Amino acid sequence: MTLQAKPVNAALEIIETDLPAGTVLHLWLKARSAGSEAKLFVTVGGNDLASPSTHRAAEFEFFAVALEAGGRTVLACDATTTAVSVAYAFHPQMVLEEGIHVLFCDTRTAPPQLPAGYHFRPPFGWMNDPNGFGRFAGRGHLFYQHYPHGLRWNTMHWGHAVSKDFIRWTHLPMFLFPADHLCETDDGRGGAFSGSAIPISGSKGEEIRVFYTEHVRDREPEEQIQLSALSRDGIVAGQSEVVLPVRPDGLNLTTDFRDPYVFKGPDGRWKMLLGSRDRAGGVVLLYETTDPDGATGWTFLGIIHREDRFGMTAAECPCMVPVGGRAEDPDTRWALIFGLLTSRDPATGRRNLTSVTVGRFDGRAFTAQFEQELDFGSDAYAFQAFVDGDEPVGIAWLANWTDFSKKDDFPTAMTLPRRVLLDGDAVLTPPVAAAESLRHVLLDETALGAGETVPLGNGAVEIALSLPKPGTAFALTFDHPDVELGVKLDGDGLAIVFDAGTGKAPPRYLACGAKPSELRIFLDAGSIEVFADNGRWTGTKRIPGFSAARSATLTAAEVSAKIWQLKL
């Protein structure tokens, strides 16, 4: 088919590149005004291939175009009528290794340019909760809450990336789209909310089943229901089907009913946790199925945990992993982790805390033995873990809803991936071993410990401190252009010192009573992460903006220190 000729003086050339046969283009476009038509012209080797078009003006519409033949590929449109949000290309047979190639990104959705950054960020658009974190067919997969058309929360999709070490990621095509009617407007009425993923038995690992919450604001009788979709290639999700259409009866639950986390219980059956709320506080619900693929037959077993402290509302993003042993061993304890939505610690002023409770789990009931806070910095939210081989590994959203504003862009990252260990009556969350592979150059091993001010290069660094005895006081201060920033240890405990200069007293990011001996401190554009005594005390804080810390000064006695420049 020959496309209508394009007026050269009105055409905006989006991109021109060479692409091989078999390439697939993913494109989003919309009309610049109601009643007009948006059209994008795609030519390959000088031949017209396709001209996707839409009259939709409120929100971008998605199109996929396959290139049967390769060659010089041009994407062009009339800029007065057509707006393009994102365009990327990939080859389905090679995408797991090569990833997508972003051809065009509108300024509203473009990611920050951080050549030295080593935390996971999306290739464009908004990101929040990690979803479906796991290993399939030997690759680590990270799905995440994603809105591709801006840096503010809106209609939720699932983004997707793969990694061999959980540090270096390859971006994949959009994995899961919200229902069509939710994509027609940009008012954030709902979408494909958080969830999890499991492998399909006997599929060699390529097939992945995902579970997620579909949220539709003001829908009756349920705003939030649970859906599942099967991906046969591990790249894109198939058709979604409802697996839990209603909340359990008789529990006086609010409409909060979300974030399905599916895992293998000690009895070998698939279990599902859901976060919810009743009139007293947050609750975690438990379901199970005898279906080996988890597709059908989900039945409600009961409430396995309740949390009503700190003024919280709903329990969010629950996950559960065996710690210190194998799942099928009756002596193994289990860690239940979830976010305490809207919680506020009156002692420190921190909001939206994350709790980890350790206890016995027989597949139907959970008996708590002890609990602790997962992160004293509070900016490791929606933590999700899975058992990778013999040991749980988790990752979290490096942000907190307290800082979020619907009126401002809010680019964020994921935390460094963390191991989940049990040491007596304490849960440890140190970074995965692969984090040491980021060490590029040893910047200093004497000057910081001697009290000198040490330049931090591009600001992407790891600082290791070894104290002469547990709890030795120190103050580590950073010269940062935007915020007051530091780490200190004194009689109150271990703290991240942070003040953005807003005029309001900031919360105290404090691990009360902590007396560590060793610390690893990771600085990156937009974040600081502190791991003390192998993650016995872990603190994470998002830093607004992307300015780098310029130097560090240590005030302490007999503390040895090393600084590494980090690089992916």
Side-chain angles (χ1 to χ4, degrees), residues 392-460:
V393 174
I395 199 168
W397 183 40
L398 208 164
N400 193 298
W401 290 113
T402 301
D403 300 324
F404 166 70
S405 168
K406 291 183 178 181
K407 298 179 180 179
D408 300 313
D409 290 347
F410 194 69
T412 58
M414 293 296 179
T415 65
L416 285 173
R418 300 164 183 188
R419 304 162 65 199
V420 183
L421 310 175
L422 184 64
D423 183 10
D425 285 344
V427 173
L428 283 58
T429 54
V432 295
E436 292 190 14
S437 70
L438 292 168
R439 295 174 178 174
H440 181 58
V441 174
L442 181 63
L443 291 180
D444 171 65
E445 56 181 335
T446 57
L448 186 65
E452 299 178 26
T453 296
V454 179
L456 297 181
N458 60 22

Side-chain angles (χ1 to χ4, degrees), residues 289-332:
T289 182
T290 58
D291 182 347
D293 292 334
T296 60
W298 289 98
T299 58
F300 178 58
L301 298 182
I303 294 174
I304 65 164
H305 193 69
R306 176 181 297 279
E307 178 61 79
D308 58 6
R309 297 176 301 161
F310 305 115
M312 70 173 292
T313 51
E316 281 199 314
C317 304
C319 79
M320 196 174 195
V321 289
V323 286
R326 301 185 66 85
E328 61 272 17
D329 186 341
D331 291 330
T332 295

Side-chain angles (χ1 to χ4, degrees), residues 130 133-134 141-142 165-167 169 261 319 321 337 374 380-388 391-397 414-421 428-432 529 531:
F133 186 46
H141 284 247
L142 174 63
D165 62 2
F166 304 124
I167 296 290
W169 293 94
Y261 175 79
C319 79
V321 289
I337 304 167
L374 188 72
Y381 198 70
F383 188 88
Q384 186 171 104
F386 77 101
V387 178
D388 188 27
E391 185 178 271
V393 174
I395 199 168
W397 183 40
M414 293 296 179
T415 65
L416 285 173
R418 300 164 183 188
R419 304 162 65 199
V420 183
L421 310 175
L428 283 58
T429 54
V432 295
E529 292 174 275
F531 301 92

Side-chain angles (χ1 to χ4, degrees), residues 29-50:
L29 57 146
K30 71 175 182 179
R32 292 215 178 261
S33 59
S36 64
E37 181 184 35
K39 182 175 288 189
L40 185 71
F41 298 91
V42 182
T43 63
V44 180
N47 298 313
D48 296 327
L49 175 65

